[in-house]
Amino acid sequence: MLRVIACFMLGMMGVMGTTSVTADEPIVIAHRGASGYLPEHTIEAYRLAIEQGADFIEPDLVMTKDGVLVSRHDIYLSSTTNVASKPEFADRQRTLGDKTDWFVMDFTLAELKTLRARQPFKGRDKSFDDQLEIATFDEIRSLVMETKASGQTVGLHIEMKRPDLFKQVVATDLAAKLSDVFAGLRRDGIPMYFQCFDGVFIREIAPLTNAPLVLLVAGKYNAANKWFDLDVDLDSYFDVVSGFGLNKALLFDASFASNGLIDRLHRAEKVVHIWTVRNDALPEGFNSPQEELKLLFDTGIDGFFTDFADTGVKFREDYR
């Protein structure tokens, strides 16, 4: 809980604040909710993650045709919903770029609510497929407020997917709309971060909000050394972000020795949240999620995204 409050206060102070970003312990961020157990980005998955003790839940946001924020990891629908089985939507399938699918911006909220979510990961429980609705952001916010009223504080680690696209086809004033959402969360006392892979959009929204901003960075795979290289000048974002959401491989070399990046970011008073820890997708050479988590904790991360929040919370208790 102290860590959650510290992160919230960091955002209130702004990116130039002097509060320590390495105190206390890493936050557990439920990646798409309890997505290891239930279809991702459903209210039921978020609720389970909260029950498992996650400090933050992560809604990935996209927009419907009528401008409503809903939670999906992708702009297409076939892999996480039953849309392909709906004859009434057969004519909505189209090609966008190199992807032929059904796209969220071609559906109204009422139409999306007729779909049901599916577990996209092989090997995970699919017994809840075709039962759970797509969640709106307002519904997620209501869940967090309901949790807060019961005496448990959980934060929102919000990601906007493809802001460049949604600005073109749905909301040209997307940055302003989101900044209003963030202001409402702050008034309600809900701890939050806003994250995005789009550095241009991070710079666009920065003057409109005092919410803590996190630039997501995947890095680039280097076939020569079979590892990931940093391909973004992180220093150039120090003036607008509170931290970085890094592909966990970027903290190490190919032998899993720390490369010093996290220490450099901490000296600049930036939080480092890494993604993604999965019980059922361990890096080569690791025998358990606990082994991986120990390496990450020893490195000094400030938070981690995981599909299995219960495992992360239990490990943190043992590490403590």
Side-chain angles (χ1 to χ4, degrees):
M1 183 61 67
L2 290 176
R3 184 60 173 169
V4 174
I5 295 171
C7 292
F8 184 45
M9 292 307 297
L10 175 62
M12 293 292 288
M13 294 173 66
V15 297
M16 299 305 292
T18 58
T19 186
S20 170
V21 298
T22 56
D24 208 349
E25 57 192 1
I27 57 172
V28 178
I29 309 160
H31 185 240
R32 313 180 200 175
S35 56
Y37 300 100
L38 292 170
E40 63 190 38
H41 292 313
T42 59
I43 289 298
E44 291 78 7
Y46 293 126
R47 181 177 286 113
L48 178 57
I50 293 169
E51 292 172 354
Q52 291 175 339
D55 302 306
F56 284 73
I57 56 175
E58 184 222 16
D60 291 329
L61 298 185
V62 294
M63 294 189 83
T64 66
K65 185 177 182 179
D66 46 347
V68 179
L69 291 167
V70 297
S71 195
R72 292 285 90 192
H73 178 260
D74 302 299
I75 63 170
Y76 55 87
L77 297 166
S78 65
S79 61
T80 59
T81 76
N82 63 346
V83 66
S85 68
K86 295 284 191 176
E88 65 268 33
F89 297 134
D91 62 349
R92 302 290 178 89
Q93 188 180 34
R94 65 182 177 100
T95 299
L96 181 62
D98 59 356
K99 182 75 172 177
T100 299
D101 212 292
W102 292 262
F103 296 93
V104 66
M105 73 287 292
D106 295 331
F107 291 77
T108 66
L109 176 62
E111 290 170 334
L112 282 181
K113 281 295 189 178
T114 69
L115 305 181
R116 293 296 179 265
R118 290 181 173 178
Q119 171 62 260
F121 284 82
K122 293 180 179 179
R124 293 184 180 178
D125 183 8
K126 297 185 183 296
S127 63
F128 292 93
D129 282 7
D130 300 347
Q131 298 179 44
L132 310 178
E133 291 186 0
I134 292 175
T136 68
F137 181 72
D138 285 344
E139 290 168 343
I140 298 165
R141 180 177 180 172
S142 294
L143 172 65
V144 171
M145 289 301 294
E146 172 190 320
T147 302
K148 187 172 185 286
S150 71
Q152 180 182 356
T153 298
V154 64
L156 289 171
H157 210 306
I158 301 164
E159 179 180 353
M160 186 70 213
K161 294 292 187 178
R162 292 298 306 274
D164 59 323
L165 177 63
F166 290 108
K167 283 171 59 180
Q168 291 179 29
V169 300
V170 183
T172 57
D173 58 345
L174 179 59
K177 286 181 179 295
L178 287 175
S179 66
D180 288 344
V181 169
F182 303 160
L185 295 176
R186 306 299 284 276
R187 287 193 298 270
D188 290 337
I190 298 174
M192 67 153 294
Y193 284 96
F194 174 71
Q195 58 178 347
C196 193
F197 280 100
D198 188 333
V200 173
F201 189 70
I202 286 284
R203 288 199 172 277
E204 180 182 347
I205 201 170
L208 305 179
T209 181
N210 64 354
L213 306 179
V214 172
L215 179 68
L216 292 168
V217 181
K220 185 177 181 180
Y221 185 71
N222 185 332
N225 61 15
K226 297 182 179 180
W227 203 246
F228 288 84
D229 294 332
L230 189 64
D231 59 347
V232 174
D233 179 10
L234 302 185
D235 299 53
S236 68
Y237 289 93
F238 281 3
D239 61 327
V240 292
V241 302
S242 294
F244 298 90
L246 301 180
N247 173 355
K248 58 193 177 183
L250 293 173
L251 298 182
F252 308 99
D253 62 23
S255 64
F256 289 104
S258 176
N259 59 18
L261 176 59
I262 195 167
D263 293 331
R264 180 167 73 83
L265 294 178
H266 280 167
R267 286 194 296 272
E269 296 190 334
K270 304 302 176 186
V271 294
V272 178
H273 299 160
I274 60 90
W275 47 269
T276 302
V277 178
R278 295 184 169 104
N279 293 9
D280 53 1
L282 297 173
E284 185 177 353
F286 289 82
N287 298 310
S288 70
Q290 289 78 17
E291 284 186 13
E292 182 183 13
L293 284 166
K294 185 178 187 307
L295 175 68
L296 293 167
F297 274 48
D298 287 350
T299 305
I301 59 171
D302 302 294
F304 61 102
F305 293 84
T306 176
D307 295 2
F308 299 85
D310 53 345
T311 298
V313 170
K314 176 62 166 60
F315 178 82
R316 185 174 62 184
E317 291 174 355
D318 294 342
Y319 190 90
R320 185 186 299 157

